[in-house]
Amino acid sequence: MKISEFISKKAANEMRIEIEEASGNEVFFRGIPDEKGIVSEFEVIARGNESSVAALLNMMRKNEVIIHNHPSGVLIPSDEDVNISSMYGEVGGASYIVNNDVNDICVVVPLREFIKIDIDDYFGENGVIHRNFGKFEVRREQYEMAKFIEKSMNENKKLIVEAGTGTGKTIAYLLPTLIYAIENNLKVVVSTNTINLQEQLINKDIPLLKKIIDEDFNYQIVKGRGNYLCKRKLYNLEVVDKETDTEDEKKEKNIIRNLIEWDRKVTKTGDRNELKYEISNSIWEKVNSEADMCKGVKCPYYSKCHFFNARKNISDATLLIVNHHMFFADLAIRNQTGFYTNYSILPNYDIVVFDEAHNIEDTARNYFTFETSKISFGRLMGNIYNRRVVKSSNGGALVRLLTYLNESLSSEEYKEVDELKEDVVEELNKFYDKGIDIFDKLTCLFSENNDNREIKMKIDKEKMQGSKFFREAMKLNSQFKENYGNLVIKINKFLNKVNNYNLEDKDGFLFEFSRYYERLKQYYKKFEFILEGKEEGYVYWANITTVRPNVKLYATPFDISDELNDNLFTKMDRMIFTSATLAVDNKFDYYKKSIGLIKEKHKKIDEKIVKSPFDYEKQMKVYIPEDALDPTNVEFMRDLEGFVEKAIKSTKGHCFLLFTSYSTLNFLYNRIKSRFSQKEYTLIRQNDFPRHEMIEIFKHSKNPILFGTDSFWEGVDVQGEQLKSVIITKLPFKVPNDPVTEAIIENIKRNGQNPFNDYQVPQAVIKFKQGIGRLIRSKSDSGNIIVLDNRIIKKMYGKKFLAALPRNRVVESKNEILKRMK
């Protein structure tokens, strides 16, 4: 066996030097194979044999080689070698042992050879689609995108591809990734941002693909654990009405009885979405499946568990559909336990497709944010001990545990427990009262001299020192810390006594109380982390709402590029990032930098822009009123209201108005709503209805006009005559005084860069492209885009926005534009 068949001469020489510098002791290398499978590059990942298997594996990517030397020159694998090799081999990695001179080799696990694919077998003139699916229109752009993805699969590379609206990108990425996965027995994860796209994949695209490929592969949509009913939690709740019950308690017990009936006679999945009626989150949280409340195989309901039944098929599936939030929840677990783990939400995967990939940065940042709030604190404390309803099982986990202990212990034993319980209850009440006092003081602090319904504010301790509310909150926090210490002592003493009895706890009453206690400790850690605000790399801020009085505290990382690069991008290469809006100035520099792909080493990331097949020059008319006031002018919207009214009436409604703030939306809505006859027009304002209902109303109403902000700039698909006009009121720059945006801007300044050009403009361009994309959704669609913000024609950076529009735009006065529209 020649070593040159596995490691290049240059790499072998350099490895020998590293081993010599380690005095001939054991050195572990990460071997990076070239296209022929020969290790041509490497890096040292450990010296000596003290590194754990998990630590070694966590430094490796998929489809690479762990190489280490045996100083003795005897290249027979040890038990530890076999352990490492088998674990890494399960996820597609190889393992070699070499001698100190790196001229002899033992291949413990060979580098896997992958079968390459050619999608021309399907898309070509004599391909499967042409022969068997005559009605299926293969678009040139779709084929072009699929070929690039085929290349990334065959060459084990990452690919960023912007695919214009109408490309048919779901089939373009599903076909090559699935064929490659089936041929090589791999697993694909497709991560999306919206439920709409998940439903399209499950109900339309994947069934069609099964017919095209003619392979019976398994696919599953992976839902979060909280969507499933937990039988143990459900059947532990008290459902018998008592005379002392309040009306709310009676209503809740009736709902629980209905859920029991649903579980026993109706549902086979336990999925909340199957319920024919709405159920409040506060009640669902009492009965849903939760990771830290799960007893696993020790649960009496394990064999019938809805959650585990749903998970059984996932490990066998070739294709998994998830949302971005779940993907990053899984990644956070891998960050703690190692990338190749059996403890994550998802099974180990080999290929990832991020659809709607422009949302990755915000989703990841939200997921790695620490959060606490007055409402969540009260709910957690109520789940442990609710002093308002202590006479029922709804009095919290402590009350249910005490009822169980009373039935399971002798009177003498229970008396000892009962005495300790009094101390626990006293400390719980003190802790709860002090916590609520702190949140109330913070509410006063942040809402001082501010009448807004929602306030977002950075927690700046230096600036807040002058406020008596801040000083009082900090004094209370010192007492809160003391209360917490006393509470921990009392609960530990109580649990130690109970645990000494070695109770069976079949129904999990002791287990559940212990889990809530762990949640309380984790909650307090987050609260202190945010309030102390010492960790660099985070912005600490508060959100206060007065409609439903609440204060939320956050610690948000303002740069997640390192996190994503270290914990995901360095672990695997077959990754596709796709969306209709990723490029700015026909480049992906901003996108790559924002999520950490710019830090990639060793392997080039392929990039491609696939233009839309739609003829925007013919299908879309663009109007920009040159005499509009500057959007910073307080009279900006008032000056345009007459123009907007006439522009909407020129298309008889059938219009989206996209705003960047609720205040501007409500101002214009209130100014012009009386000018539209309710018999002739249907006005739909965001927050008057749930988002999905707004879209349905728009699709099926007479002359609809939709007033929407942030979430309506993307993910909305209305084809045909029902949508004829999109009016963009302002360029969608993020609000600069938003605490997170402010922190990102400050961080960019600290790094010597220009936050406006390097962050705010690219962000806004991507959002702008999403908004423009709402209008033309098929080859037969046509309509108007009206941009009211004159900065697009008067500022230098406006060119970046204009590049997203067809060249035949009309830049004239409001009156001239209205004449043209007639």
Side-chain angles (χ1 to χ4, degrees):
M1 189 178 288
K2 292 182 180 179
I3 195 167
S4 58
E5 295 175 4
F6 302 93
I7 303 174
S8 73
K9 186 176 180 180
K10 179 176 177 290
N13 288 334
E14 291 172 354
M15 282 182 183
R16 186 175 62 253
I17 293 169
E18 291 285 352
I19 293 168
E20 286 174 358
E21 289 179 357
S23 302
N25 292 316
E26 201 168 18
V27 181
F28 284 85
F29 303 95
R30 170 184 162 229
I32 304 164
D34 60 20
E35 290 181 6
K36 296 178 181 178
I38 296 172
V39 172
S40 54
E41 295 181 69
F42 69 88
E43 66 173 298
V44 176
I45 57 175
R47 288 184 170 87
N49 55 10
E50 72 280 357
S51 293
S52 69
V53 174
L56 285 173
L57 292 181
N58 213 32
M59 298 178 199
M60 302 297 297
R61 291 178 188 248
K62 288 179 178 288
N63 312 313
E64 293 184 335
V65 191
I66 292 178
I67 306 170
H68 76 286
N69 62 306
H70 275 190
S72 66
V74 179
L75 306 188
I76 299 172
S78 66
D79 290 343
E80 189 72 359
D81 293 335
V82 172
N83 188 21
I84 293 173
S85 301
S86 62
M87 288 182 70
Y88 189 44
E90 285 180 7
V91 293
S95 176
Y96 306 160
I97 302 170
V98 296
N99 61 350
N100 282 8
D101 291 330
V102 198
N103 58 16
D104 195 9
I105 190 168
C106 170
V107 177
V108 186
V109 176
L111 193 63
R112 181 174 174 182
E113 292 186 20
F114 291 93
I115 301 167
K116 295 191 174 184
I117 61 167
D118 184 352
I119 60 160
D120 285 352
D121 294 341
Y122 296 87
F123 276 126
E125 287 186 13
N126 298 314
V128 173
I129 295 175
H130 184 76
R131 291 198 313 268
N132 301 335
F133 298 88
K135 292 183 179 179
F136 183 86
E137 178 192 0
V138 176
R139 302 160 197 169
R140 178 180 57 80
E141 296 81 5
Q142 187 178 51
Y143 171 71
E144 182 184 357
M145 178 177 172
K147 284 298 282 185
F148 272 94
I149 293 174
E150 170 201 287
K151 181 173 179 283
S152 74
M153 293 296 105
N154 288 338
E155 297 180 2
N156 189 27
K157 283 186 177 180
K158 293 182 177 71
L159 170 67
I160 304 174
V161 55
E162 178 175 282
T165 307
T167 301
K169 63 180 166 57
T170 52
I171 296 296
Y173 66 65
L174 280 174
L175 186 65
T177 54
L178 267 170
I179 293 168
Y180 195 86
I182 291 167
E183 288 287 348
N184 292 287
N185 193 27
L186 303 177
K187 192 178 296 293
V188 184
V189 170
V190 173
S191 181
T192 76
N193 192 57
T194 60
I195 294 172
N196 287 348
L197 183 52
Q198 285 188 344
E199 289 175 347
Q200 178 191 320
L201 286 164
I202 293 294
N203 299 324
K204 179 185 172 186
D205 296 324
I206 297 173
L208 172 62
L209 211 63
K210 287 194 90 164
K211 294 177 182 175
I212 293 172
I213 295 177
D214 197 25
E215 290 268 2
D216 190 24
F217 61 87
N218 291 328
Y219 61 94
Q220 293 285 325
I221 185 166
V222 187
K223 293 188 176 184
R225 187 169 195 144
N227 288 287
Y228 296 98
L229 187 74
C230 171
K231 289 175 180 282
R232 184 187 63 78
K233 286 171 67 177
L234 176 66
Y235 291 111
N236 278 351
L237 289 175
E238 187 178 297
V239 294
V240 178
D241 289 333
K242 294 181 178 178
E243 290 183 8
T244 54
D245 287 347
T246 64
E247 283 303 311
D248 285 343
E249 287 176 284
K250 288 177 182 177
K251 287 178 183 176
E252 184 172 310
K253 284 182 177 179
N254 188 51
I255 292 170
I256 299 299
R257 286 193 292 269
N258 289 338
L259 284 172
I260 290 172
E261 187 77 5
W262 178 69
D263 179 54
R264 286 175 174 166
K265 298 182 178 179
V266 180
T267 185
K268 287 184 172 61
T269 67
D271 186 342
R272 181 182 183 179
N273 288 339
E274 285 187 9
L275 284 168
K276 302 296 184 188
Y277 51 88
E278 286 292 320
I279 183 169
S280 71
N281 287 334
S282 60
I283 292 178
W284 183 254
E285 285 170 4
K286 293 183 179 183
V287 299
N288 70 336
S289 179
E290 299 172 289
D292 62 341
M293 291 291 172
C294 180
K295 295 192 73 178
V297 293
K298 294 181 180 179
C299 178
Y301 301 97
Y302 178 73
S303 63
K304 298 178 181 178
C305 175
H306 293 303
F307 170 73
F308 282 110
N309 284 340
R311 285 295 182 265
K312 281 175 186 174
N313 295 325
I314 288 174
S315 59
D316 297 326
T318 301
L319 172 64
L320 299 177
I321 310 296
V322 304
N323 61 30
H324 291 341
H325 180 84
M326 178 175 288
F327 184 89
F328 289 112
D330 175 84
L331 186 63
I333 295 171
R334 293 174 190 270
N335 186 20
Q336 298 296 320
T337 61
F339 191 77
Y340 309 108
T341 177
N342 295 320
Y343 299 100
S344 52
I345 300 168
L346 302 173
N348 287 317
Y349 44 79
D350 308 283
I351 300 166
V352 177
V353 179
F354 287 110
D355 201 344
E356 302 174 306
H358 58 282
N359 290 292
I360 286 177
E361 182 187 4
D362 285 342
T363 307
R365 181 175 287 116
N366 289 340
Y367 198 80
F368 293 117
T369 290
F370 295 97
E371 176 186 346
T372 63
S373 73
K374 179 180 178 180
I375 287 176
S376 64
F377 175 70
R379 186 179 297 136
L380 173 60
M381 295 301 293
N383 283 332
I384 296 171
Y385 180 74
N386 189 338
R387 61 191 178 195
R388 290 176 297 178
V389 286
V390 293
K391 294 182 180 179
S392 78
S393 64
N394 294 332
L398 178 59
V399 173
R400 291 191 290 275
L401 173 58
L402 291 167
T403 303
Y404 165 69
L405 294 173
N406 192 25
E407 295 169 353
S408 306
L409 300 174
S410 67
S411 57
E412 284 299 315
E413 289 171 332
Y414 184 75
K415 186 179 178 183
E416 293 177 355
V417 170
D418 196 47
E419 289 173 359
L420 293 175
K421 175 265 294 184
E422 293 299 328
D423 289 341
V424 172
V425 168
E426 183 182 357
E427 293 301 331
L428 280 168
N429 288 335
K430 285 181 183 177
F431 185 71
Y432 171 77
D433 291 338
K434 195 70 67 181
I436 293 297
D437 284 347
I438 294 172
F439 279 116
D440 287 342
K441 292 296 180 188
L442 291 173
T443 301
C444 295
L445 167 68
F446 293 120
S447 57
E448 201 174 9
N449 304 319
N450 200 319
D451 298 327
N452 291 340
R453 297 172 70 185
E454 183 179 18
I455 305 157
K456 292 182 179 180
M457 191 176 292
K458 187 178 177 182
I459 301 173
D460 190 325
K461 289 189 174 182
E462 289 186 14
K463 290 183 180 178
M464 293 175 177
Q465 289 290 346
S467 168
K468 69 168 186 172
F469 295 122
F470 177 78
R471 294 193 298 272
E472 289 172 356
M474 292 301 102
K475 184 178 179 181
L476 286 169
N477 190 44
S478 297
Q479 298 165 6
F480 193 49
K481 187 176 291 188
E482 189 177 317
N483 290 142
Y484 174 73
N486 292 335
L487 178 60
V488 168
I489 291 169
K490 300 298 184 184
I491 292 181
N492 284 345
K493 192 174 180 181
F494 171 76
L495 284 174
N496 287 338
K497 170 63 73 175
V498 174
N499 286 329
N500 285 338
Y501 296 124
N502 293 317
L503 296 165
E504 186 180 356
D505 193 35
K506 184 177 70 172
D507 293 317
F509 293 110
L510 175 57
F511 170 82
E512 194 170 283
F513 176 76
S514 300
R515 294 292 88 203
Y516 274 121
Y517 176 41
E518 288 300 316
R519 280 191 192 181
L520 177 63
K521 289 191 282 188
Q522 292 301 316
Y523 191 95
Y524 181 75
K525 282 182 183 177
K526 287 194 293 183
F527 181 83
E528 281 298 287
F529 180 85
I530 298 169
L531 221 54
E532 289 182 4
K534 293 179 180 177
E535 185 75 25
E536 291 187 6
Y538 288 84
V539 54
Y540 302 91
W541 58 288
N543 186 334
I544 301 91
T545 51
T546 55
V547 178
R548 186 188 177 193
N550 191 23
V551 55
K552 295 179 180 178
L553 305 177
Y554 300 91
T556 300
F558 44 76
D559 185 352
I560 46 86
S561 59
D562 286 338
E563 191 89 34
L564 291 180
N565 183 64
D566 295 345
N567 297 309
L568 178 61
F569 303 147
T570 59
K571 306 304 180 191
M572 59 188 298
D573 285 305
R574 288 189 178 98
M575 305 182 77
I576 311 298
F577 304 83
T578 186
S579 166
T581 56
L582 292 176
V584 178
D585 276 349
N586 287 320
K587 293 181 288 189
F588 295 107
D589 294 357
Y590 167 74
Y591 181 73
K592 288 193 293 184
K593 187 177 180 182
S594 70
I595 64 171
L597 281 173
I598 207 91
K599 302 175 183 183
E600 276 286 80
K601 297 176 182 177
H602 300 299
K603 292 198 176 182
K604 179 177 174 287
I605 299 167
D606 284 345
E607 302 170 7
K608 181 64 181 174
I609 295 176
V610 179
K611 298 293 185 183
S612 170
F614 300 154
D615 188 343
Y616 288 121
E617 299 292 335
K618 290 182 178 178
Q619 292 179 255
M620 181 188 292
K621 293 180 180 178
V622 180
Y623 300 102
I624 304 170
E626 61 184 355
D627 56 346
L629 295 177
D630 190 280
T632 59
N633 191 312
V634 291
E635 295 295 316
F636 168 69
M637 209 69 251
R638 195 185 301 272
D639 175 64
L640 284 165
E641 63 185 58
F643 171 76
V644 170
E645 175 199 345
K646 291 171 184 173
I648 294 171
K649 287 181 176 177
S650 72
T651 55
K652 294 186 177 175
H654 305 282
C655 175
F656 273 13
L657 284 106
L658 299 180
F659 298 83
T660 58
S661 71
Y662 283 108
S663 58
T664 310
L665 182 155
N666 288 323
F667 173 83
L668 189 61
Y669 176 84
N670 290 324
R671 293 285 297 182
I672 69 174
K673 65 178 179 181
S674 61
R675 306 178 196 176
F676 291 90
S677 163
Q678 291 185 9
K679 291 182 179 178
E680 291 299 314
Y681 291 89
T682 306
L683 273 66
I684 311 159
R685 178 172 58 168
Q686 190 164 346
N687 288 343
D688 287 350
F689 309 92
R691 184 178 184 274
H692 68 279
E693 283 187 23
M694 289 177 67
I695 300 301
E696 288 305 303
I697 294 169
F698 188 92
K699 286 180 177 179
H700 301 100
S701 296
K702 182 179 181 181
N703 300 337
I705 310 165
L706 186 145
F707 295 72
T709 59
D710 188 57
S711 63
F712 284 92
W713 286 72
E714 62 178 282
V716 180
D717 190 356
V718 180
Q719 295 186 17
E721 295 295 311
Q722 200 67 355
L723 179 60
K724 300 297 292 181
S725 175
V726 172
I727 299 177
I728 291 175
T729 53
K730 288 184 181 179
L731 298 180
F733 287 103
K734 285 196 172 184
V735 181
N737 59 0
D738 173 83
V740 178
T741 303
E742 186 182 351
I744 293 170
I745 289 171
E746 288 173 0
N747 184 54
I748 293 171
K749 284 180 182 175
R750 280 195 296 271
N751 292 330
Q753 297 167 308
N754 184 319
F756 186 72
N757 291 333
D758 296 341
Y759 172 67
Q760 290 166 279
V761 169
Q763 277 267 347
V765 168
I766 287 172
K767 191 79 171 180
F768 181 75
K769 288 167 71 175
Q770 284 286 333
I772 297 298
R774 294 316 95 214
L775 182 64
I776 307 299
R777 307 301 298 176
S778 73
K779 285 189 175 180
S780 60
D781 286 352
S782 62
N784 302 327
I785 292 286
I786 303 173
V787 182
L788 303 179
D789 191 332
N790 64 19
R791 290 176 295 182
I792 197 170
I793 52 173
K794 293 188 176 180
K795 299 290 186 182
M796 283 294 293
Y797 60 78
K799 293 176 182 177
K800 296 179 187 290
F801 294 90
L802 290 173
L805 297 167
R807 291 183 298 274
N808 63 348
R809 43 192 175 262
V810 175
V811 181
E812 291 183 347
S813 69
K814 296 191 288 289
N815 288 334
E816 288 301 317
I817 287 172
L818 290 173
K819 287 177 186 175
R820 283 178 176 265
M821 291 177 72
K822 286 180 181 178

